[in-house]
Amino acid sequence: CAVAPPILGEHQESIPYVGPIYGGLRSGMSVYIQGVIPHEITSFNMNLQCGESEGSDIGFHFSPRFDNWDKVVFNSCQEGEWGSEEEIHNMPFSKGDAFEMVIFIKQEGYQVTVNGQDLHTFNYRIPVERVNALQIGGDVSIQTISIIGGGNPGDDQIGGNLPVMCGQPIYNPPVPHSSIIPGGMFLKKTIVIRGMVPLGANSFSINFMVGSSRDIVFHLNPRLQESVVVRNSLIGGSWETEEREISFNPFLEGQYFDVSKQGTGLCQNYYPIPYIVNYF
């Protein structure tokens, strides 16, 4: 089914995007997407398709449209013919804001949540087993795409250079927060922690620990009043030498941030472990 050429926003280097979903979709899986809505937006779309080529059948078409009647449109396209639209006028996206979206593959259809809130369930019109590709276009910037529940970590990757994660997203956990990392850390596994530094904050810490010994293999400690980001490890009850050097402090009061943390085989290489910090 033909899609109109997207009107690209300011930060659209990776858009339009199309990539395979290895092994296809099935009930019990989910698609996790994290991105940012630009201030100047007309619309964007996400399609779960039966192939990567233009003109492929679209099992699930998701299109937020910012106009005088802001709405989200759901549809499907089969053999070049669009079906009947389903519309939601409760717009869950805000201009200039980041978002997290999950499409749960249920028995009856695609259940969509945005920022942890249920939005709509779109019943299947095309068998979900035929869906094997994701296409994204329009005014949107995408940071993360993850296919959850597709088997081992290698099976979950959908292609491209975007980070890939496994596991169920956790929304708005209370702080302090502690949880198990299913399967532990391994090469190229990515943990993304997203939050906001409140006004007047002094410091906070993120620790990656060995459950049996309670060793901290990676300690990330932004100290707002000192304008430093301390990195360290605690092995056998003793702190190692702090690392404080950083080109700039990405943690600012009143700003959102992303910490993307990648494993490098924690059993062999305790420290340092690569991390990337972005903020909005």
Side-chain angles (χ1 to χ4, degrees), residues 68-107:
N68 293 332
W69 301 274
D70 290 357
K71 60 184 176 292
V72 181
V73 173
F74 302 82
N75 209 339
S76 64
C77 186
Q78 191 168 13
E79 297 181 356
E81 297 291 333
W82 287 99
S84 58
E85 291 186 346
E86 298 178 16
E87 295 183 0
I88 297 295
H89 289 271
N90 179 23
M91 175 60 73
F93 302 96
S94 299
K95 296 180 180 181
D97 284 353
F99 69 89
E100 291 177 313
M101 173 179 169
V102 184
I103 305 171
F104 295 97
I105 312 303
K106 299 289 190 176
Q107 285 292 120

Short mmCIF file of all heavy atoms in Angstrom, two decimals, residues 68-107:
data_model
loop_
_atom_site.label_atom_id
_atom_site.label_comp_id
_atom_site.label_asym_id
_atom_site.label_seq_id
_atom_site.Cartn_x
_atom_site.Cartn_y
_atom_site.Cartn_z
N ASN A 68 -6.31 20.52 13.35
CA ASN A 68 -7.33 21.17 14.18
C ASN A 68 -8.16 20.18 14.98
O ASN A 68 -8.87 20.56 15.90
CB ASN A 68 -8.24 22.03 13.29
CG ASN A 68 -7.49 23.22 12.70
OD1 ASN A 68 -6.53 23.71 13.28
ND2 ASN A 68 -7.92 23.66 11.52
N TRP A 69 -8.09 18.90 14.58
CA TRP A 69 -8.80 17.84 15.29
C TRP A 69 -7.79 16.74 15.61
O TRP A 69 -7.86 15.64 15.04
CB TRP A 69 -9.93 17.28 14.43
CG TRP A 69 -10.94 18.32 14.04
CD1 TRP A 69 -12.03 18.73 14.76
CD2 TRP A 69 -10.95 19.09 12.83
NE1 TRP A 69 -12.72 19.70 14.09
CE2 TRP A 69 -12.08 19.95 12.90
CE3 TRP A 69 -10.13 19.16 11.71
CZ2 TRP A 69 -12.39 20.84 11.88
CZ3 TRP A 69 -10.43 20.04 10.70
CH2 TRP A 69 -11.55 20.87 10.79
N ASP A 70 -6.86 17.06 16.53
CA ASP A 70 -5.81 16.11 16.85
C ASP A 70 -6.39 14.73 17.13
O ASP A 70 -7.35 14.59 17.92
CB ASP A 70 -5.02 16.58 18.07
CG ASP A 70 -4.17 17.80 17.76
OD1 ASP A 70 -4.16 18.23 16.59
OD2 ASP A 70 -3.53 18.32 18.70
N LYS A 71 -5.81 13.73 16.50
CA LYS A 71 -6.34 12.38 16.63
C LYS A 71 -5.27 11.35 16.30
O LYS A 71 -4.22 11.67 15.74
CB LYS A 71 -7.54 12.19 15.69
CG LYS A 71 -7.23 12.39 14.22
CD LYS A 71 -8.49 12.27 13.38
CE LYS A 71 -8.24 12.56 11.90
NZ LYS A 71 -7.88 14.00 11.69
N VAL A 72 -5.56 10.09 16.67
CA VAL A 72 -4.73 8.96 16.30
C VAL A 72 -5.58 8.03 15.44
O VAL A 72 -6.68 7.64 15.85
CB VAL A 72 -4.20 8.20 17.53
CG1 VAL A 72 -3.32 7.03 17.08
CG2 VAL A 72 -3.42 9.14 18.44
N VAL A 73 -5.09 7.71 14.25
CA VAL A 73 -5.83 6.89 13.31
C VAL A 73 -5.22 5.49 13.26
O VAL A 73 -3.99 5.33 13.20
CB VAL A 73 -5.80 7.52 11.90
CG1 VAL A 73 -6.42 6.57 10.86
CG2 VAL A 73 -6.54 8.85 11.90
N PHE A 74 -6.08 4.47 13.29
CA PHE A 74 -5.68 3.08 13.17
C PHE A 74 -6.33 2.50 11.91
O PHE A 74 -7.50 2.79 11.62
CB PHE A 74 -6.14 2.26 14.39
CG PHE A 74 -5.62 2.77 15.70
CD1 PHE A 74 -6.23 3.82 16.35
CD2 PHE A 74 -4.52 2.18 16.30
CE1 PHE A 74 -5.77 4.30 17.57
CE2 PHE A 74 -4.04 2.64 17.52
CZ PHE A 74 -4.67 3.70 18.14
N ASN A 75 -5.59 1.66 11.19
CA ASN A 75 -6.16 1.08 9.98
C ASN A 75 -5.32 -0.11 9.55
O ASN A 75 -4.33 -0.48 10.18
CB ASN A 75 -6.21 2.14 8.86
CG ASN A 75 -7.34 1.90 7.87
OD1 ASN A 75 -7.86 0.78 7.74
ND2 ASN A 75 -7.73 2.94 7.16
N SER A 76 -5.72 -0.71 8.43
CA SER A 76 -4.97 -1.79 7.79
C SER A 76 -5.09 -1.60 6.28
O SER A 76 -5.97 -0.87 5.80
CB SER A 76 -5.51 -3.16 8.20
OG SER A 76 -6.85 -3.32 7.74
N CYS A 77 -4.19 -2.23 5.54
CA CYS A 77 -4.21 -2.11 4.09
C CYS A 77 -3.89 -3.47 3.47
O CYS A 77 -2.86 -4.06 3.81
CB CYS A 77 -3.19 -1.06 3.64
SG CYS A 77 -3.24 -0.70 1.88
N GLN A 78 -4.79 -3.95 2.64
CA GLN A 78 -4.62 -5.28 2.05
C GLN A 78 -4.88 -5.22 0.55
O GLN A 78 -5.90 -4.67 0.11
CB GLN A 78 -5.56 -6.28 2.72
CG GLN A 78 -5.28 -7.73 2.36
CD GLN A 78 -6.02 -8.69 3.27
OE1 GLN A 78 -6.92 -8.29 4.01
NE2 GLN A 78 -5.65 -9.96 3.24
N GLU A 79 -3.93 -5.74 -0.23
CA GLU A 79 -4.01 -5.74 -1.69
C GLU A 79 -4.29 -4.34 -2.23
O GLU A 79 -5.08 -4.16 -3.15
CB GLU A 79 -5.08 -6.73 -2.16
CG GLU A 79 -4.76 -8.18 -1.78
CD GLU A 79 -5.80 -9.16 -2.27
OE1 GLU A 79 -6.83 -8.69 -2.84
OE2 GLU A 79 -5.60 -10.37 -2.11
N GLY A 80 -3.63 -3.35 -1.64
CA GLY A 80 -3.74 -1.97 -2.12
C GLY A 80 -4.96 -1.22 -1.65
O GLY A 80 -5.13 -0.04 -2.01
N GLU A 81 -5.79 -1.83 -0.85
CA GLU A 81 -7.04 -1.20 -0.40
C GLU A 81 -7.00 -0.97 1.11
O GLU A 81 -6.80 -1.91 1.88
CB GLU A 81 -8.26 -2.07 -0.75
CG GLU A 81 -8.46 -2.29 -2.24
CD GLU A 81 -8.89 -1.01 -2.95
OE1 GLU A 81 -9.50 -0.15 -2.27
OE2 GLU A 81 -8.62 -0.88 -4.15
N TRP A 82 -7.18 0.32 1.48
CA TRP A 82 -7.26 0.65 2.90
C TRP A 82 -8.60 0.22 3.46
O TRP A 82 -9.63 0.31 2.80
CB TRP A 82 -7.07 2.15 3.13
CG TRP A 82 -5.66 2.61 2.94
CD1 TRP A 82 -5.13 3.21 1.84
CD2 TRP A 82 -4.59 2.49 3.89
NE1 TRP A 82 -3.80 3.48 2.03
CE2 TRP A 82 -3.43 3.06 3.28
CE3 TRP A 82 -4.49 1.98 5.18
CZ2 TRP A 82 -2.20 3.10 3.94
CZ3 TRP A 82 -3.26 2.04 5.83
CH2 TRP A 82 -2.14 2.59 5.21
N GLY A 83 -8.60 -0.24 4.72
CA GLY A 83 -9.83 -0.61 5.39
C GLY A 83 -10.48 0.61 6.03
O GLY A 83 -10.10 1.76 5.78
N SER A 84 -11.46 0.37 6.86
CA SER A 84 -12.14 1.47 7.56
C SER A 84 -11.28 1.96 8.72
O SER A 84 -10.69 1.17 9.45
CB SER A 84 -13.51 1.00 8.08
OG SER A 84 -13.36 -0.11 8.95
N GLU A 85 -11.20 3.28 8.86
CA GLU A 85 -10.37 3.88 9.91
C GLU A 85 -11.04 3.76 11.28
O GLU A 85 -12.27 3.84 11.39
CB GLU A 85 -10.10 5.35 9.61
CG GLU A 85 -9.18 5.60 8.43
CD GLU A 85 -8.83 7.07 8.26
OE1 GLU A 85 -9.51 7.91 8.89
OE2 GLU A 85 -7.88 7.37 7.52
N GLU A 86 -10.22 3.60 12.28
CA GLU A 86 -10.65 3.73 13.66
C GLU A 86 -9.89 4.91 14.25
O GLU A 86 -8.68 5.01 14.10
CB GLU A 86 -10.35 2.45 14.45
CG GLU A 86 -11.09 1.23 13.91
CD GLU A 86 -10.76 -0.06 14.67
OE1 GLU A 86 -10.21 0.05 15.79
OE2 GLU A 86 -11.05 -1.15 14.15
N GLU A 87 -10.61 5.84 14.90
CA GLU A 87 -9.99 7.07 15.39
C GLU A 87 -10.13 7.20 16.90
O GLU A 87 -11.14 6.83 17.48
CB GLU A 87 -10.65 8.29 14.73
CG GLU A 87 -10.44 8.39 13.23
CD GLU A 87 -11.05 9.65 12.66
OE1 GLU A 87 -11.62 10.45 13.45
OE2 GLU A 87 -10.96 9.86 11.43
N ILE A 88 -9.05 7.74 17.51
CA ILE A 88 -9.03 8.09 18.93
C ILE A 88 -8.69 9.57 19.01
O ILE A 88 -7.68 10.02 18.46
CB ILE A 88 -7.99 7.26 19.70
CG1 ILE A 88 -8.35 5.77 19.67
CG2 ILE A 88 -7.89 7.76 21.14
CD1 ILE A 88 -9.63 5.43 20.38
N HIS A 89 -9.53 10.36 19.67
CA HIS A 89 -9.30 11.81 19.75
C HIS A 89 -8.63 12.23 21.05
O HIS A 89 -8.46 13.41 21.29
CB HIS A 89 -10.62 12.55 19.56
CG HIS A 89 -11.12 12.49 18.14
ND1 HIS A 89 -10.77 13.41 17.18
CD2 HIS A 89 -11.93 11.58 17.53
CE1 HIS A 89 -11.35 13.09 16.03
NE2 HIS A 89 -12.05 11.98 16.21
N ASN A 90 -8.22 11.26 21.85
CA ASN A 90 -7.44 11.54 23.06
C ASN A 90 -5.97 11.43 22.68
O ASN A 90 -5.36 10.36 22.77
CB ASN A 90 -7.80 10.55 24.16
CG ASN A 90 -6.99 10.78 25.43
OD1 ASN A 90 -6.49 11.88 25.67
ND2 ASN A 90 -6.85 9.75 26.24
N MET A 91 -5.36 12.54 22.23
CA MET A 91 -3.99 12.54 21.74
C MET A 91 -3.00 12.29 22.89
O MET A 91 -2.92 13.09 23.82
CB MET A 91 -3.66 13.86 21.05
CG MET A 91 -2.21 14.01 20.61
SD MET A 91 -1.67 12.74 19.44
CE MET A 91 -2.53 13.28 17.95
N PRO A 92 -2.26 11.19 22.86
CA PRO A 92 -1.34 10.88 23.96
C PRO A 92 0.05 11.48 23.80
O PRO A 92 0.87 11.37 24.71
CB PRO A 92 -1.26 9.35 23.88
CG PRO A 92 -1.40 9.05 22.42
CD PRO A 92 -2.34 10.10 21.86
N PHE A 93 0.34 12.10 22.65
CA PHE A 93 1.65 12.67 22.38
C PHE A 93 1.61 14.19 22.52
O PHE A 93 0.61 14.82 22.17
CB PHE A 93 2.12 12.30 20.97
CG PHE A 93 2.19 10.81 20.72
CD1 PHE A 93 1.14 10.15 20.10
CD2 PHE A 93 3.29 10.08 21.11
CE1 PHE A 93 1.19 8.79 19.86
CE2 PHE A 93 3.35 8.71 20.88
CZ PHE A 93 2.29 8.07 20.26
N SER A 94 2.71 14.76 22.98
CA SER A 94 2.82 16.21 23.12
C SER A 94 4.02 16.71 22.34
O SER A 94 5.09 16.09 22.35
CB SER A 94 2.98 16.60 24.60
OG SER A 94 1.85 16.18 25.35
N LYS A 95 3.85 17.85 21.70
CA LYS A 95 4.93 18.43 20.91
C LYS A 95 6.13 18.75 21.81
O LYS A 95 5.98 19.32 22.88
CB LYS A 95 4.45 19.70 20.21
CG LYS A 95 3.35 19.45 19.18
CD LYS A 95 2.91 20.75 18.52
CE LYS A 95 1.82 20.49 17.49
NZ LYS A 95 1.37 21.75 16.82
N GLY A 96 7.31 18.33 21.36
CA GLY A 96 8.54 18.59 22.09
C GLY A 96 8.85 17.60 23.19
O GLY A 96 9.89 17.72 23.84
N ASP A 97 7.98 16.61 23.41
CA ASP A 97 8.17 15.68 24.52
C ASP A 97 8.62 14.30 24.03
O ASP A 97 8.28 13.87 22.93
CB ASP A 97 6.88 15.52 25.32
CG ASP A 97 6.60 16.71 26.22
OD1 ASP A 97 7.48 17.60 26.31
OD2 ASP A 97 5.50 16.77 26.80
N ALA A 98 9.35 13.61 24.91
CA ALA A 98 9.72 12.22 24.65
C ALA A 98 8.52 11.31 24.95
O ALA A 98 7.59 11.69 25.67
CB ALA A 98 10.91 11.82 25.50
N PHE A 99 8.56 10.10 24.39
CA PHE A 99 7.47 9.15 24.63
C PHE A 99 8.02 7.73 24.63
O PHE A 99 9.10 7.45 24.09
CB PHE A 99 6.38 9.27 23.57
CG PHE A 99 6.80 8.81 22.19
CD1 PHE A 99 6.65 7.48 21.80
CD2 PHE A 99 7.35 9.70 21.28
CE1 PHE A 99 7.06 7.05 20.54
CE2 PHE A 99 7.75 9.28 20.02
CZ PHE A 99 7.60 7.95 19.65
N GLU A 100 7.28 6.84 25.29
CA GLU A 100 7.52 5.41 25.24
C GLU A 100 6.21 4.75 24.82
O GLU A 100 5.17 4.98 25.41
CB GLU A 100 7.96 4.89 26.60
CG GLU A 100 9.34 5.36 27.03
CD GLU A 100 9.70 4.87 28.41
OE1 GLU A 100 8.86 4.99 29.33
OE2 GLU A 100 10.82 4.38 28.58
N MET A 101 6.28 3.92 23.81
CA MET A 101 5.09 3.28 23.25
C MET A 101 5.32 1.78 23.20
O MET A 101 6.41 1.31 22.82
CB MET A 101 4.84 3.83 21.84
CG MET A 101 3.74 3.14 21.07
SD MET A 101 3.54 3.92 19.45
CE MET A 101 2.48 2.72 18.65
N VAL A 102 4.33 1.01 23.62
CA VAL A 102 4.40 -0.45 23.54
C VAL A 102 3.19 -0.96 22.79
O VAL A 102 2.05 -0.57 23.08
CB VAL A 102 4.46 -1.10 24.94
CG1 VAL A 102 4.65 -2.60 24.81
CG2 VAL A 102 5.58 -0.50 25.77
N ILE A 103 3.42 -1.82 21.80
CA ILE A 103 2.35 -2.49 21.07
C ILE A 103 2.38 -3.94 21.52
O ILE A 103 3.30 -4.70 21.19
CB ILE A 103 2.54 -2.40 19.55
CG1 ILE A 103 2.69 -0.94 19.11
CG2 ILE A 103 1.38 -3.06 18.82
CD1 ILE A 103 3.10 -0.77 17.66
N PHE A 104 1.39 -4.35 22.31
CA PHE A 104 1.30 -5.72 22.80
C PHE A 104 0.54 -6.57 21.77
O PHE A 104 -0.54 -6.19 21.31
CB PHE A 104 0.56 -5.78 24.14
CG PHE A 104 1.29 -5.08 25.26
CD1 PHE A 104 0.96 -3.77 25.61
CD2 PHE A 104 2.29 -5.71 25.95
CE1 PHE A 104 1.61 -3.13 26.64
CE2 PHE A 104 2.96 -5.07 26.98
CZ PHE A 104 2.63 -3.78 27.33
N ILE A 105 1.10 -7.71 21.42
CA ILE A 105 0.47 -8.62 20.47
C ILE A 105 -0.41 -9.57 21.28
O ILE A 105 0.06 -10.54 21.88
CB ILE A 105 1.51 -9.40 19.64
CG1 ILE A 105 2.58 -8.44 19.10
CG2 ILE A 105 0.83 -10.17 18.52
CD1 ILE A 105 2.03 -7.30 18.27
N LYS A 106 -1.71 -9.29 21.31
CA LYS A 106 -2.66 -10.07 22.09
C LYS A 106 -3.36 -11.11 21.21
O LYS A 106 -3.21 -11.12 19.99
CB LYS A 106 -3.70 -9.13 22.73
CG LYS A 106 -3.11 -8.10 23.68
CD LYS A 106 -2.63 -8.75 24.97
CE LYS A 106 -2.27 -7.71 26.02
NZ LYS A 106 -1.88 -8.30 27.30
N GLN A 107 -4.18 -11.95 21.84
CA GLN A 107 -4.93 -12.96 21.08
C GLN A 107 -5.89 -12.30 20.10
O GLN A 107 -6.07 -12.77 18.98
CB GLN A 107 -5.72 -13.85 22.04
CG GLN A 107 -4.88 -14.87 22.80
CD GLN A 107 -4.33 -15.94 21.88
OE1 GLN A 107 -3.13 -16.12 21.75
NE2 GLN A 107 -5.22 -16.68 21.23
#
